Amino acid sequence: NAGVTQTPKFQVLKTGQSMTLQCAQDMNHEYMSWYRQDPGMGLRLIHYSVGAGITDQGEVPNGYNVSRSTTEDFPLRLLSAAPSQTSVYFCASSYSLRGSSTDTQYFGPGTRLTVL
Amino acid sequence: GDSVTQMEGPVTLSEEACLTINCTYTATGYPSLFWYVQYPGEGLQLLLKATKADDKGSNKGFEATYRKETTSFHLEKGSVQVSDSAVYFCALSGATGGFKTIFGAGTRLFVKA
């Protein structure tokens, strides 16, 4: 099991550029999510998905798009990068039983993004 | 809304000292409570969890008890090691039957030899 994988590990963008952060998991988890981690602010939820074809917004969705065409993949797209999106991005997945408490989340190693 | 508050860091301890990191929460319903740990340059990983009141989670010498009456889930360890240096996050999920996890801001722990 590779668990949760993320690519790239590091990325530098110029303001206005677009890019996609990749996330994949091989644990057949229904629930996947994207967080950003900023100093002193913990992790903030950007978008999440409870299954293929279903996505929803989290706490800080503006400037980001997601899609979930397969159970395994959950890419995060930055439409027009801004310096405020400089952060470390984590993808996570968990096995969730519909209607029950969320189970343990498994995190990827993160992508460190700098927007100039 | 649901929230998690944990003590600010950094916390600096000498090896073999006792550790307590305070965590309190606000939530509707009956959330599950978690402690995650993040080692330098890595993603978060689960340290321990508790799913109902009075449950005690434990792992690697760390413990935390789900206290519904005080809405707390404090992390404790009797004797820390240098290898415990990391950032610790308290979190809750499933408060209203939903799928979101709410994280605290994190507490950085430094352990000196």
Side-chain angles (χ1 to χ4, degrees):
Chain A
N1 265 357
V4 179
T5 58
Q6 290 184 239
T7 55
K9 288 191 175 181
F10 301 94
Q11 183 69 50
V12 178
L13 292 178
K14 294 181 180 178
T15 297
Q17 288 185 314
S18 63
M19 79 158 295
T20 299
L21 307 185
Q22 301 293 342
C23 174
Q25 53 90 10
D26 61 358
M27 297 174 282
N28 202 32
H29 285 169
E30 293 185 53
Y31 180 83
M32 296 185 74
S33 54
W34 275 103
Y35 296 90
R36 58 178 288 171
Q37 183 180 28
D38 301 294
M41 302 191 73
L43 275 75
R44 292 184 290 170
L45 183 65
I46 304 171
H47 286 284
Y48 66 100
S49 168
V50 298
I54 307 169
T55 63
D56 205 347
Q57 296 181 351
E59 182 184 356
V60 288
N62 292 342
Y64 308 94
N65 272 0
V66 292
S67 60
R68 183 95 179 271
S69 57
T70 67
T71 300
E72 294 79 18
D73 299 300
F74 191 45
L76 177 73
R77 281 182 289 278
L78 280 70
L79 308 173
S80 177
S84 60
Q85 294 179 303
T86 294
S87 187
V88 181
Y89 291 85
F90 289 101
C91 179
S93 74
S94 67
Y95 173 70
S96 68
L97 300 174
R98 301 279 171 98
S100 299
S101 297
T102 304
D103 207 339
T104 302
Q105 292 204 61
Y106 295 83
F107 284 81
T111 295
R112 185 175 295 274
L113 175 69
T114 301
V115 183
L116 302 175
Chain B
D2 301 336
S3 66
V4 174
T5 302
Q6 58 182 108
M7 64 187 288
E8 289 189 26
V11 174
T12 302
L13 296 173
S14 298
E15 208 166 22
E16 300 184 1
C18 295
L19 168 71
T20 299
I21 300 178
N22 292 333
C23 171
T24 57
Y25 68 91
T26 301
T28 54
Y30 303 95
S32 294
L33 301 175
F34 304 81
W35 277 100
Y36 286 86
V37 59
Q38 183 181 30
Y39 298 105
E42 299 183 8
L44 281 70
Q45 58 186 272
L46 179 70
L47 180 60
L48 54 85
K49 69 178 183 181
T51 58
K52 62 183 187 296
D54 300 325
D55 269 2
K56 178 186 283 187
S58 61
N59 187 25
K60 299 181 182 180
F62 290 90
E63 293 183 339
T65 300
Y66 189 149
R67 302 285 188 200
K68 190 167 176 62
E69 64 277 12
T70 54
T71 62
S72 64
F73 193 55
H74 305 322
L75 182 67
E76 298 176 327
K77 187 174 186 182
S79 176
V80 295
Q81 306 300 313
V82 172
S83 57
D84 293 327
S85 297
V87 181
Y88 293 82
F89 292 91
C90 185
L92 68 83
S93 70
T96 54
F99 296 95
K100 298 178 186 179
T101 299
I102 309 294
F103 288 87
T107 302
R108 184 176 295 276
L109 171 66
F110 292 105
V111 181
K112 303 179 297 183

